[in-house]
């Protein structure tokens, strides 16, 4: 069965963890421990996780029902900062495809990163 290969995002030179990356942001959204669901061609996806609003480098609110949409090519082009190898983490990912369903595992290894221009969706947030 062909499937998504193991992905390793090379660490950057920026020392620091998730909180130090957040402290360097003016305003924006911070996402911690995201899980991704991709379309069958891995061209676009939906991410869910702990989503926080950031103001002047501090987490000020949590959006419990929020997620984010992305196109894979745009996501990689929008990568601004990647933490050092001290923050590198490996995550196992279950992949299922085919009819009848076939299951395989792969991994994603990545440090915390800063990405610009994600589309945030929150079905419970009032305008």
């Amino acid at each position: 069965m062909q499937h998504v290969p193991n992905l390793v995002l090379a660490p950057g030179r920026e020392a620091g963890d998730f909180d130090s990356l957040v402290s360097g942001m003016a305003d924006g959204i911070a996402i911690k421990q995201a899980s991704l669901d991709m379309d069958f061609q891995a061209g676009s996806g939906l991410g869910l996780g702990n989503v926080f609003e950031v103001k002047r480098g501090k987490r000020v609110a949590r959006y419990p029902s929020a997620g984010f949409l992305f196109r894979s090519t745009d996501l990689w082009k929008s990568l601004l900062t990647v933490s050092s190898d001290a923050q590198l983490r490996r995550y196992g990912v279950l992949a299922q495809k085919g009819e009848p369903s076939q299951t395989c595992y792969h991994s994603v290894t990545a440090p915390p990163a800063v990405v610009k221009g994600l589309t945030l969706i929150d079905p419970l947030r009032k305008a």
Side-chain angles (χ1 to χ4, degrees):
M1 175 173 80
Q2 291 182 341
H3 63 87
V4 177
N6 295 325
L7 173 70
V8 178
L9 181 60
R13 296 183 184 149
E14 296 274 334
D17 58 3
F18 176 80
D19 291 326
S20 66
L21 288 176
V22 168
S23 69
M25 295 173 61
D27 293 335
I29 301 294
I31 303 162
K32 190 169 188 176
Q33 298 172 332
S35 64
L36 303 176
D37 188 16
M38 303 289 290
D39 69 1
F40 73 100
Q41 293 180 327
S44 62
L46 165 68
L48 300 170
N50 296 319
V51 180
F52 302 94
E53 181 179 10
V54 176
K55 296 279 187 189
R56 293 184 293 281
K58 299 216 184 283
R59 288 186 272 173
V60 296
R62 182 171 181 267
Y63 299 125
S65 62
F68 58 97
L69 300 173
F70 62 92
R71 288 182 22 165
S72 297
T73 53
D74 295 338
L75 178 74
W76 296 117
K77 290 176 187 177
S78 301
L79 196 60
L80 297 176
T81 305
V82 179
S83 288
S84 67
D85 60 353
Q87 299 300 316
L88 212 55
R89 299 288 182 266
R90 176 172 288 150
Y91 303 94
V93 180
L94 170 68
Q96 292 181 309
K97 65 185 259 185
E99 191 63 45
S101 181
Q102 299 175 39
T103 302
C104 65
Y105 293 89
H106 63 99
S107 67
V108 174
T109 304
V114 175
V115 179
K116 67 176 180 175
L118 292 176
T119 301
L120 185 69
I121 56 171
D122 188 354
L124 298 180
R125 185 174 179 194
K126 301 200 190 299

